[in-house]
Amino acid sequence: MSKKAQPKNAPMDLFDSDDDTCSLSSFYTMRSEIPRMDEVHVQKDVMLDQSLDALYEKRSSTREQALASIVDAFKSDLQHEFVEKNFATLLHQCLHCIKKGSSKETSLASHVIGLLALTVGHGDQSQEILEDSVTPLSQALKSNHEALKITSILKCLAVITFVGGANAEQTERSMQIIWQMIHPKLVSNVVETKPSGAVITTVVSSWTFLLTTVDRWTQGPKILQETVTYLSTLMETDDRSVRIAAGEALALLFEMGTLEKFDAKAKGSASNGSVKEGSVCQDALINMDRLISEVTNQVRDLAVEAGGKGCAKKDLNTQRSLFKDLVEFLEGGVAPETSTKIGGACIETSTWCQMIQLNFLKHFLGGGFIKHMQENELLHDVFSFTPKKIGGHSTMTNEEKRLFQSPNSAVSKARTKLMKRQRMISNKEALFN
């Protein structure tokens, strides 16, 4: 292969690496060293080169530090020049980290691969990322059941398939790999395990994210019934994040018309087929009608659920809001509309499909979401979004200026961390050379 130049943030402590020995005086020294933005770009290029070299180090802590720096850099800016020079090297070093590294290293490397796919966009490189990564990622899912590792790999697989999947077969392959993590009886020769709530939520949200790219359901009515039944059972769990993920998946299935198409097909077969075939289809139709009725009742109940002792109010409000929207959709056919302000422009969504895509990518990009929405052509295409520019520069709201331009902003703090990591990597290289 030739070397060529594609429902919330991950926990902050995963990507932060504060040095406990850093004194108060050195902290203020670092703040005084904050350079101009043009100097920052040069330093980021140097830091990225050093971080890439550090992925060859034997110490896992050094590789983790380097991967965290790369994640920060790819979230804070579109690293096209670096990717043009180091695409193949970065991809395969990250895959090596996933194969041999700790859970934290695997999580960071998975994040880098997903960010790499979003950076290169649709095309040969994103297809290369998918085809080179799908087997190592699938194997890594089977080798370890730590939640941090599993959830990171699942999100990575969803993102690289979303960007690099060139046909329905590739998308369905990834969806099957993801789904079997929580519902292995749908797939042969897989031992069933009891995943955590975080894993279940990530599986369902990742599977649903990829379902937004599928034109029609191709797995047949039996698998559809089993899937809807399983999602219905998830809405009965105590974990509200699991309920919400299951509700979004069902909302998308309803919006796609999948259940109605199955209903119509069963009715047609029952009336036109033989007596035996008609009996089978009639049974399937009755079962699906009953299932849809049960799901609808569940949705109504969750939309008005009362909070109990110790109940997290934010989670409860999120659940109520989602299921109220779903009730309105089931009764009136109108999906919720959202508007997200980016600078002087807004991203508008008016379907469950669009809202699910936006929320998933916003969660994956975290603090880099606004930057990517302003400059990433892939996201402009996905959401039909054109950032508003004044004088050749993307506009920013006062809130965004406070978050991204003030001395205490995430960008300024990230800039300080980049400089700190650059020095640490340089010091380690000098120590071992």
Side-chain angles (χ1 to χ4, degrees), residues 24 38 254 263 276 308 397 407 419 429:
L24 187 62
D38 56 342
F254 278 110
D263 194 16
K276 183 177 180 180
T397 65
M419 294 170 60
E429 289 176 346

Side-chain angles (χ1 to χ4, degrees), residues 8-25:
K8 298 183 181 177
N9 244 339
M12 289 301 294
D13 58 341
L14 178 62
F15 303 113
D16 292 342
S17 183
D18 296 330
D19 185 356
D20 294 335
T21 64
C22 180
S23 66
L24 187 62
S25 61

Side-chain angles (χ1 to χ4, degrees), residues 216-217 224 252-263:
R216 59 188 178 87
W217 182 270
L224 177 61
L252 183 61
L253 286 170
F254 278 110
E255 183 174 71
M256 292 171 64
T258 302
L259 303 181
E260 290 83 353
K261 289 174 185 175
F262 168 81
D263 194 16

Side-chain angles (χ1 to χ4, degrees), residues 11-18 47-48 50-52 54-55 60-76 90 94 97 104-113 115 414 417-418 421-422 424-425:
M12 289 301 294
D13 58 341
L14 178 62
F15 303 113
D16 292 342
S17 183
D18 296 330
M47 181 278 298
L48 280 168
Q50 291 177 333
S51 296
L52 183 59
L55 296 183
S60 61
S61 60
T62 302
R63 296 195 302 271
E64 290 171 6
Q65 188 85 24
L67 288 166
S69 295
I70 295 171
V71 167
D72 284 343
F74 271 68
K75 287 169 71 174
S76 63
L90 178 60
C94 286
C97 290
K104 181 177 180 180
E105 186 176 340
T106 296
S107 178
L108 288 164
S110 299
H111 205 164
V112 171
I113 292 175
L115 291 168
K417 285 196 295 181
L418 289 174
R421 285 174 179 151
Q422 179 185 338
M424 291 179 68
I425 292 172

Side-chain angles (χ1 to χ4, degrees), residues 297-312:
N297 290 332
Q298 281 181 295
V299 169
R300 290 196 178 99
D301 290 342
L302 290 170
V304 296
E305 184 185 38
K309 186 176 180 181
C311 169

Side-chain angles (χ1 to χ4, degrees), residues 73-89:
F74 271 68
K75 287 169 71 174
S76 63
D77 207 351
L78 293 170
Q79 305 295 338
H80 291 302
E81 291 184 10
F82 176 79
V83 169
E84 186 177 355
K85 296 183 295 182
N86 302 288
F87 170 78
T89 303

Side-chain angles (χ1 to χ4, degrees), residues 156-355:
C156 172
L157 181 57
V159 169
I160 65 175
T161 305
F162 181 82
V163 181
N167 52 59
E169 289 74 20
Q170 290 176 318
T171 301
E172 289 174 3
R173 175 187 61 187
S174 293
M175 291 176 69
Q176 186 180 65
I177 292 170
I178 291 169
W179 192 253
Q180 72 184 17
M181 292 304 301
I182 59 168
H183 203 38
K185 66 182 180 181
L186 294 184
V187 184
S188 61
N189 302 320
V190 178
V191 179
E192 188 168 2
T193 59
K194 293 183 179 179
S196 66
V199 169
I200 296 173
T201 300
T202 304
V203 166
V204 177
S205 62
S206 299
W207 181 86
T208 306
F209 176 62
L210 290 183
L211 185 62
T212 64
T213 68
V214 174
D215 292 332
R216 59 188 178 87
W217 182 270
T218 60
Q219 298 300 308
K222 183 175 183 293
I223 300 297
L224 177 61
Q225 276 189 291
E226 290 179 349
T227 301
V228 174
T229 300
Y230 185 67
L231 291 172
S232 175
T233 64
L234 292 183
M235 291 197 297
E236 297 175 353
T237 64
D238 294 332
D239 192 321
R240 284 198 169 85
S241 64
V242 172
R243 297 180 191 174
I244 291 168
E248 288 184 339
L250 287 166
L252 183 61
L253 286 170
F254 278 110
E255 183 174 71
M256 292 171 64
T258 302
L259 303 181
E260 290 83 353
K261 289 174 185 175
F262 168 81
D263 194 16
K265 185 176 181 180
K267 288 178 179 177
S269 299
S271 60
N272 298 328
S274 64
V275 174
K276 183 177 180 180
E277 289 175 343
S279 177
V280 171
C281 289
Q282 189 64 34
D283 289 342
L285 176 59
I286 292 171
N287 289 336
M288 181 56 80
D289 283 344
R290 183 187 301 119
L291 183 56
I292 292 174
S293 178
E294 290 174 358
V295 167
T296 302
N297 290 332
Q298 281 181 295
V299 169
R300 290 196 178 99
D301 290 342
L302 290 170
V304 296
E305 184 185 38
K309 186 176 180 181
C311 169
K313 187 174 181 180
K314 181 179 179 182
D315 293 341
L316 179 60
N317 289 339
T318 301
Q319 173 187 297
R320 286 172 176 168
S321 177
L322 174 100
F323 286 103
K324 282 179 181 177
D325 287 339
L326 186 47
V327 169
E328 291 179 6
F329 178 71
L330 293 176
E331 293 178 349
V334 179
E337 297 182 354
T338 69
S339 179
T340 304
K341 195 167 185 180
I342 303 292
C346 289
I347 306 172
E348 310 282 352
T349 70
S350 57
T351 65
W352 287 100
C353 175
Q354 294 170 341
M355 186 174 71

Side-chain angles (χ1 to χ4, degrees), residues 23-59:
S23 66
L24 187 62
S25 61
S26 64
F27 170 75
Y28 282 108
T29 300
M30 283 190 290
R31 286 195 60 165
S32 67
E33 293 173 356
I34 294 177
R36 300 188 309 271
M37 289 307 296
D38 56 342
E39 294 174 337
V40 170
H41 285 298
V42 173
Q43 290 176 349
K44 281 185 179 180
D45 290 342
V46 173
M47 181 278 298
L48 280 168
D49 289 335
Q50 291 177 333
S51 296
L52 183 59
D53 291 340
L55 296 183
Y56 291 92
E57 294 289 335
K58 292 183 178 180
R59 288 174 176 264

